Amino acid sequence: MYNTGRHVSLRLDKEHLVNISGGPMTYSHRLEEIQLHFGSEDGQGSEHQLNGQAFSGEVQLIHYNHELYTNYTEAAKSPNGLVIVSIFMKVAESSNSFLNRMLNRDTITRITYKNDAYLLAGLNIEEIYPETNSFITYDGSMTIPPCFETATWILMNKPVYLTRMQMHSLRLLSQNQPSQIFLSMSDNVRPVQPLNNRCIRTNINFSMQGKDCPNNRAQKLQYRGESC
């Protein structure tokens, strides 16, 4: 786990590969990195909005197409290169088990400053996913430079939860090194971008809104990944 100065980044060792396929994906994709985006207040911090509403944060699982490309760098600038699974984070009384491992005080304080790193063992990637098979998907771009338009986004239709204390701990992470002035990593998100006629697809069954749709309204997506 790393403090990059911009994100909390979790990178898998090369002995434990995680692949995903199915859904809107034509190819199998390999997990390269998990990034956390979050806000300085609970009502902001996610890189997407639903019905104009932002969440406290967003977990992004970034995968590259390992069937067509040899590594992430090559895939990121190539057609059908990336799949990014986004999971909204919401403040609650209890915490998702995966986030609990990452964000407990003994762990998160190890990466307070830029370039700090800490080894986490025994994580189960499956535990980061909410209990839903429903998603929204569209073709867009990366939200960090160089913002190549090579990404398929998959937004899960339920959030995961973290505690108020864990969110506070994230806001205490610094963009800078210890010798520099403290500058919180909060609000590490991009401004909302127009859809520009992109097609939004979903497997949500709107005839069963009480079951699948958290706010019982049709989901209107606002897109943050159009250009740098």
Side-chain angles (χ1 to χ4, degrees):
M1 187 165 68
Y2 298 85
N3 179 335
T4 69
R6 181 191 291 260
H7 310 101
V8 176
S9 172
L10 189 67
R11 303 172 191 170
L12 281 66
D13 66 73
K14 300 308 179 183
E15 295 181 2
H16 299 87
L17 303 178
V18 176
N19 299 330
I20 62 170
S21 59
M25 291 172 280
T26 304
Y27 301 94
S28 176
H29 289 70
R30 179 161 295 161
L31 182 60
E32 176 74 12
E33 181 183 7
I34 300 174
Q35 294 181 357
L36 300 188
H37 299 259
F38 51 92
S40 55
E41 299 177 3
D42 290 350
Q44 62 192 50
S46 61
E47 293 233 289
H48 294 84
Q49 297 179 1
L50 293 178
N51 292 328
Q53 299 285 320
F55 286 75
S56 303
E58 187 171 326
V59 183
Q60 294 180 353
L61 294 91
I62 303 171
H63 310 74
Y64 73 94
N65 186 333
H66 67 98
E67 292 193 51
L68 295 183
Y69 307 109
T70 56
N71 54 53
Y72 169 81
T73 301
E74 180 185 3
K77 56 187 178 183
S78 305
N80 297 307
L82 303 180
V83 163
I84 306 176
V85 177
S86 276
I87 305 170
F88 294 115
M89 295 193 297
K90 190 172 183 179
V91 173
E93 294 299 320
S94 59
S95 171
N96 169 272
S97 58
F98 188 96
L99 292 178
N100 197 46
R101 286 287 312 280
M102 287 184 67
L103 303 180
N104 71 76
R105 182 174 176 79
D106 290 340
T107 301
I108 198 65
T109 53
R110 308 293 185 102
I111 62 163
T112 298
Y113 299 104
K114 183 179 180 180
N115 298 329
D116 284 352
Y118 182 67
L119 178 64
L120 273 173
L123 290 173
N124 183 354
I125 299 296
E126 186 178 7
E127 292 179 356
I128 191 61
Y129 281 88
E131 294 183 3
T132 181
N133 293 319
S134 298
F135 60 85
I136 298 167
T137 183
Y138 68 96
D139 293 329
S141 73
M142 304 161 59
T143 60
I144 58 175
C147 302
F148 293 124
E149 295 203 26
T150 57
T152 295
W153 287 83
I154 301 174
L155 281 65
M156 304 306 296
N157 193 44
K158 285 186 179 179
V160 290
Y161 299 96
L162 73 168
T163 65
R164 194 166 301 280
M165 181 60 69
Q166 289 168 342
M167 180 57 73
H168 179 67
S169 295
L170 284 173
R171 293 168 181 154
L172 292 178
L173 299 179
S174 179
Q175 297 182 27
N176 294 327
Q177 296 178 331
S179 59
Q180 301 171 306
I181 188 170
F182 175 83
L183 186 62
S184 174
M185 194 189 292
S186 300
D187 301 322
N188 53 351
V189 299
R190 296 192 52 221
V192 173
Q193 302 291 319
L195 282 171
N196 287 338
N197 297 315
R198 285 180 171 84
C199 178
I200 306 297
R201 296 171 291 151
T202 183
N203 66 349
I204 298 170
N205 185 350
F206 287 108
S207 67
M208 300 176 62
Q209 289 182 355
K211 178 180 179 182
D212 288 336
C213 188
N215 58 9
N216 287 326
R217 290 182 293 166
Q219 306 288 356
K220 180 180 179 183
L221 176 70
Q222 288 185 279
Y223 172 51
R224 287 182 181 263
E226 195 258 328
S227 62
C228 291

